[in-house]
Amino acid sequence: MKNYSLSEEKVFLIKLAMIAYGYGVSVLRLESYLRGIATNLGCNLELMSNGNIVQFVFWDEIADQHSHFARLPAVNPDLTKLILTENLANSIASGDISATEGIIHLSEIEKETTQYGTLLVAMAFGLIGAAVAVIF
């Protein structure tokens, strides 16, 4: 039986998709973004999305292809982490760092705390709601 382990580039693409979607990227933008990065990394990739599920189809040759399904996480918008993730993806695509280092950096981005506390975020949402209520 053949071992179908994923290369580091493919693991990076799957992890990047899950993290970027979780920080607020739309599925359509995510698909086009991942296709560009995969092309720069030299991976053959086809993506198919349906709601919060993405199917990755990787192939090297006609006879050697495999699929990976990923259920995307709930969206928790965080623009700071999204920008860090996008900068990392651009560094990988340009060849400045390897996919292995990219996986490590993605884990570090996930561990970072937000700049604003929970109370401040709750107050901001309340003020935005009040401002919209005044407009209407």
Side-chain angles (χ1 to χ4, degrees), residues 78-126:
D78 189 336
L79 293 179
T80 304
K81 290 183 179 181
L82 183 60
I83 290 169
L84 291 172
T85 304
E86 193 166 315
N87 290 340
L88 174 63
N90 290 334
S91 296
I92 294 266
S94 65
D96 294 339
I97 61 174
S98 69
T100 306
E101 292 174 291
I103 293 169
I104 294 167
H105 287 303
L106 281 175
S107 298
E108 291 170 0
I109 290 170
E110 282 184 298
K111 291 177 187 174
E112 284 191 24
T113 59
T114 58
Q115 291 179 332
Y116 309 106
T118 308
L119 180 62
L120 187 60
V121 171
M123 287 175 37
F125 274 102

Side-chain angles (χ1 to χ4, degrees), residues 6 14 54-58 66-70:
L6 294 174
I14 293 168
V54 174
Q55 179 185 11
F56 298 82
V57 180
F58 298 103
H66 61 276
S67 296
H68 181 83
F69 287 90

